[in-house]
Amino acid sequence: MILELDCGNSFIKWRVIRDTDLSIVGSGVVDSDMALVDAVSALALPPKQCRLVSVRSEEETISLSALLHQCFGLRVLVAQPAKEVAGVRNGYEDYQRLGLDRWLAVLGAYRLSGGACLVMDFGTAAKADFVAADGEHLGGFICPGMPLMRSQLRTHTRRIRYDDASAERALSSMAPGRSTVEAVERGCVHMLQGFVRSQLDHARELWGEDFSVLLTGGDAPLVQEAAPTARVVPDLVFVGLAMACPLD
């Protein structure tokens, strides 16, 4: 059994897979290191190996690795920045400055597409990256995602106040909003869809129609209308993690 972790600033996405056929035994999202320990402890079969990617501080990552070793006896393999992995070349001038979550999504997208691809990740931030057919990462774009846009409007506009349940109901339609929550939520989705369309235009300028589009991240379903032929891969970062951190 292999424990795979995607450690963000607020949440940890985890899954346990069989090392024989890579089938998923358990998965989830937790908000603390101890909640992760509890979730993994509840599985019938404990993991024997572990690999993770983290955008947390080095101290936080080391602390989590030590906790996993203490609780499960795991030696944790942590993804590191690289100039090249599996034929994909990091396109940043300083390769160590490219976020590891983006880098792993790029690796996974190139592996799954087998050629030129545009990969877009919709989480706290919205990110787009371009990979040429020869594996050259051409760079990308970052803008606020739904959580950041929503937070900024709530923080800086006194009259915008609503709860998460109201936000979810507001997205049942994309018609012009007839309440503040509908106007905000649907407006933010339209901005994300505009971001998608602009990235598709840029990809067509590079490659014509000869490229693949992959979407990942929790808010990827909100933008599918703007990229109807795109492939949605919720665990794309884990695909790249397996490439960056192969296990025996």
Side-chain angles (χ1 to χ4, degrees):
M1 298 290 181
I2 301 172
L3 173 62
E4 298 183 321
L5 305 175
D6 179 2
C7 305
N9 291 308
S10 301
F11 298 99
I12 301 173
K13 184 177 181 180
W14 68 274
R15 73 177 189 179
V16 173
I17 60 174
R18 290 187 175 88
D19 50 1
T20 52
D21 59 5
L22 304 184
S23 60
I24 299 174
V25 175
S27 64
V29 178
V30 294
D31 60 3
S32 70
D33 294 358
M34 288 310 302
L36 172 65
V37 169
D38 291 341
V40 175
S41 297
L43 297 175
L45 294 173
K48 300 299 182 183
Q49 297 175 297
C50 179
R51 55 190 169 208
L52 70 79
V53 56
S54 175
V55 297
R56 297 177 167 190
S57 69
E58 184 177 357
E59 291 77 12
E60 290 173 308
T61 302
I62 290 173
S63 175
L64 175 58
S65 298
L67 180 64
L68 293 171
H69 179 74
Q70 175 187 338
C71 294
F72 305 109
L74 293 171
R75 181 181 67 85
V76 180
L77 193 58
V78 181
Q80 300 295 330
K83 291 183 178 180
E84 182 173 347
V85 172
V88 183
R89 298 179 297 284
N90 193 316
Y92 261 31
E93 294 177 357
D94 179 356
Y95 74 93
Q96 298 186 72
R97 301 293 294 177
L98 177 62
L100 279 169
D101 52 344
R102 282 178 66 196
W103 174 234
L104 296 187
V106 163
L107 294 179
Y110 189 71
R111 168 66 60 85
L112 295 179
S113 66
C117 59
L118 164 62
V119 54
M120 291 178 279
D121 185 347
F122 295 92
T124 303
K127 295 162 283 190
D129 282 282
F130 300 80
V131 190
D134 65 356
E136 183 72 25
H137 172 229
L138 304 179
F141 300 96
I142 304 174
C143 73
M146 282 291 289
L148 282 177
M149 288 191 285
R150 183 187 293 127
S151 173
Q152 286 298 302
L153 285 168
R154 286 177 172 176
T155 300
H156 296 287
T157 307
R158 292 183 179 181
R159 292 181 179 272
I160 295 179
R161 295 288 184 273
Y162 56 85
D163 57 27
D164 292 341
S166 299
E168 186 174 349
R169 288 194 298 271
L171 294 178
S172 62
S173 166
M174 287 305 294
R178 297 174 66 86
S179 66
T180 298
V181 61
E182 290 179 354
V184 169
E185 291 295 310
R186 296 173 190 178
C188 289
V189 170
H190 278 299
M191 289 193 71
L192 286 186
Q193 291 180 343
F195 176 78
V196 170
R197 293 186 178 100
S198 71
Q199 305 313 302
L200 291 171
D201 288 343
H202 190 80
R204 291 187 184 103
E205 291 175 4
L206 290 169
W207 305 309
E209 297 296 333
D210 190 16
F211 65 95
S212 301
V213 182
L214 295 93
L215 304 178
T216 192
D219 287 327
L222 296 178
V223 301
Q224 279 185 272
E225 178 183 330
T229 63
R231 179 179 176 182
V232 178
V233 187
D235 290 336
L236 185 59
V237 166
F238 287 141
V239 177
L241 180 60
M243 297 167 65
C245 298
L247 295 167
D248 295 334

